[in-house]
Amino acid sequence: MQDNLEILSRAIKQWIPEDRPVSQAPPAKELEQILDLGLTHEGADQATLEQAIRDYLHYNPDVSQAGFFKLLYSGQNKPALLGDWITSLSNATMHTYQVGPVATLMELELIKQWNALVGFDQGEGVMVAGGSQANLIGMMLARHKACPDYKTKGAQGKTLVAYVSDQAHYSGEKAANVLGIGTDNLISVESDEAGRMKPAALDAAIELSKAEGKTPFYVCLTAGTTVVGAYDPVAECSDVAKKHDLWLHIDGAWGGPILFSEQHRHLLANSHLADSFTWDAHKLMNVPLTAAVILVKHPGALKACCSGGGGDYLFHADENADYNLGERSIQCGRRADSLKVWLSWKAAGNKGFSDKIDYLQQIKNQCVELVEQREGLEMLAPAVYQNVLFRYRPEHMTDEAQLRDLNIAICAEMRRSGGAYIDYARFKGRTGIRLILANADVTSEHLTELVDNCQRIGRELAAK
Ligand SMILES: Cc1ncc(COP(=O)(O)O)c(C=O)c1O
């Protein structure tokens, strides 16, 4: 154990210097040649293992730095990181209270707090391996409500149809695949110019499915879309779902934490109207991957939908039976993700996360102002949450394909020259640079430098 501690200490103090580039991995084919990846019959010595750890850290993008804007998480949540280490140290698993007693009680407390934020008074939940799995279970719960026999007897000739917006995360498609719904039966409902689902289009799509003899069963709204951070209108879409008696899920994997903020929670007003809710703690809350939850308004729904087997050897009817989370889950062995989330929530309090969101909203607004002021830069969508999608557009250039190439080239050049790690994305046919502001260490100075660099690189590339 002492050896491990020393290596960890060296890794932190020496192998990840603060001034290293945000991203420095060469293309995969090159990196394959550099690394000693082969697993062999004979074991290796300590020095070989240490070198492997150094390489691992060296080539991985440094998501903790202020210059990392690529993904929906960045920065470092120190209590959560500590929790992650301790979780591995104890190696608890979450199917029964007996093998994860404190982790179970922490998970239950987290679920209570999450439900309070969403507004599910009697809500339940279970932690899952990411937002995609939470969305999968949301769809599964809806399937169970619409067709309680589906679990045991299968489709029985029914064609179930699910609805998401055309801006929804691709996990909806994965879920339709895994659950045997058929990905063609996942309907992408048109969104408006800000990326929000159009309630009238949702209603029309459901009516059409019914007219075709199909069985609508599930509406999934997004709170904070992946590309532009749009919030679907909950009350209006809830009316439509109610009219057709459909399960309403909200995918708040990215945008759920807005509920911490008194000032900004109006973006996700009426979340309590949903039947289930996805929340990722490994995105805006910066807990190390993975940490996510599926919350459900109706107590008992998870067990009814997910349980099956294990009663004879695992889920004993002892005094702790009510605390066994395993039957609510689709996993057997499940990592104890609660400790890292609980530690960081305990340390920050609701106020800590609320302050973080209020701060990030403030620097996001400054960033949008900068983009709007700079010659040649333009926003491609309203930035209501922490996504800023903009592009460089020289006056003479109107061709979308050319503009796309130029903005992709800006991202590549930024990385090549050791600058910030930014990425591109397409929204409504136009491609821009997507910044994700999720790290409260980012300052307005960082953003000014970044916007200046995008403008400068854009100008230089366009001149060539
Ligand atoms: C809106 C949204 N939902 C769900 C997911 C999937 O979450 P996870 O990566 O935790 O599976 C993402 C990931 O980016 C997302 O942006």
Side-chain angles (χ1 to χ4, degrees), residues 72 130-132 135 169 171 222 224-226 251 253-254 280 282-283:
L72 305 183
S132 299
N135 288 341
H169 186 254
S171 48
T222 309
T225 56
T226 312
D251 173 3
W254 167 226
D280 270 7
H282 63 230
K283 290 192 164 68

Side-chain angles (χ1 to χ4, degrees), residues 87 177 261:
T87 302
N177 180 1
S261 163

Side-chain angles (χ1 to χ4, degrees), residues 306-378:
C306 299
S307 66
D312 49 343
Y313 84 101
L314 190 61
F315 301 116
H316 302 310
D318 58 19
E319 76 276 17
N320 299 314
D322 288 347
Y323 289 83
N324 294 339
L325 293 173
E327 286 180 288
R328 298 182 189 182
S329 172
I330 58 169
Q331 293 173 247
C332 176
R334 178 162 68 87
R335 196 166 192 267
D337 293 325
S338 57
L339 173 65
K340 57 190 174 181
V341 186
W342 187 93
L343 276 181
S344 70
W345 200 327
K346 186 76 172 170
N350 289 33
K351 182 173 182 309
F353 290 114
S354 169
D355 290 348
K356 175 178 178 181
I357 285 161
D358 292 349
Y359 172 73
L360 288 173
Q361 283 279 308
Q362 187 196 321
I363 58 167
K364 182 266 315 223
N365 289 336
Q366 288 168 358
C367 182
V368 172
E369 263 173 48
L370 271 180
V371 168
E372 284 169 342
Q373 283 162 8
R374 289 286 192 283
E375 198 191 314
L377 296 184
E378 64 180 4

Side-chain angles (χ1 to χ4, degrees), residues 149-373:
D149 286 348
Y150 206 112
K151 179 175 168 179
T152 47
K153 297 194 170 28
Q156 299 188 95
K158 275 198 176 133
T159 301
L160 297 185
V161 188
Y163 308 84
V164 292
S165 91
D166 58 17
Q167 298 300 311
H169 186 254
Y170 68 86
S171 48
E173 203 171 315
K174 300 261 183 200
N177 180 1
V178 173
L179 294 176
I181 306 300
T183 53
D184 286 354
N185 296 314
L186 181 77
I187 306 296
S188 287
V189 176
E190 195 189 339
S191 61
D192 66 14
E193 71 296 336
R196 297 167 298 203
M197 185 189 276
K198 289 181 174 174
L202 172 64
D203 193 34
I206 296 170
E207 294 289 1
L208 180 63
S209 304
K210 283 182 164 174
E212 290 170 348
K214 297 175 180 165
T215 308
F217 76 110
Y218 175 67
V219 176
C220 173
L221 305 181
T222 309
T225 56
T226 312
V227 173
V228 301
Y231 285 79
D232 288 337
V234 177
E236 294 86 337
C237 293
S238 162
D239 285 346
V240 177
K242 276 208 182 85
K243 175 178 152 194
H244 297 282
D245 193 24
L246 307 189
W247 187 276
L248 184 69
H249 178 76
I250 297 180
D251 173 3
W254 167 226
I258 201 80
L259 293 172
F260 278 118
S261 163
E262 280 300 318
Q263 208 184 330
H264 299 287
R265 60 176 304 152
H266 62 89
L267 286 173
L268 184 40
N270 299 306
S271 52
H272 66 284
L273 296 175
D275 294 293
S276 52
F277 196 99
T278 291
W279 184 306
D280 270 7
H282 63 230
K283 290 192 164 68
L284 199 92
M285 291 168 80
N286 281 133
V287 172
L289 286 145
T290 57
V293 71
I294 172 81
L295 302 167
V296 190
K297 183 189 256 170
H298 318 287
L302 277 168
K303 185 171 170 184
C305 170
C306 299
S307 66
D312 49 343
Y313 84 101
L314 190 61
F315 301 116
H316 302 310
D318 58 19
E319 76 276 17
N320 299 314
D322 288 347
Y323 289 83
N324 294 339
L325 293 173
E327 286 180 288
R328 298 182 189 182
S329 172
I330 58 169
Q331 293 173 247
C332 176
R334 178 162 68 87
R335 196 166 192 267
D337 293 325
S338 57
L339 173 65
K340 57 190 174 181
V341 186
W342 187 93
L343 276 181
S344 70
W345 200 327
K346 186 76 172 170
N350 289 33
K351 182 173 182 309
F353 290 114
S354 169
D355 290 348
K356 175 178 178 181
I357 285 161
D358 292 349
Y359 172 73
L360 288 173
Q361 283 279 308
Q362 187 196 321
I363 58 167
K364 182 266 315 223
N365 289 336
Q366 288 168 358
C367 182
V368 172
E369 263 173 48
L370 271 180
V371 168
E372 284 169 342
Q373 283 162 8

Side-chain angles (χ1 to χ4, degrees), residues 406-432:
L406 174 59
N407 281 277
I408 292 174
I410 294 173
C411 297
E413 176 56 22
M414 187 83 82
R415 270 184 77 193
R416 198 202 55 75
S417 59
Y421 196 166
I422 52 176
D423 208 352
Y424 61 92
R426 198 199 298 264
F427 178 65
K428 308 264 170 195
R430 298 189 297 172
T431 299

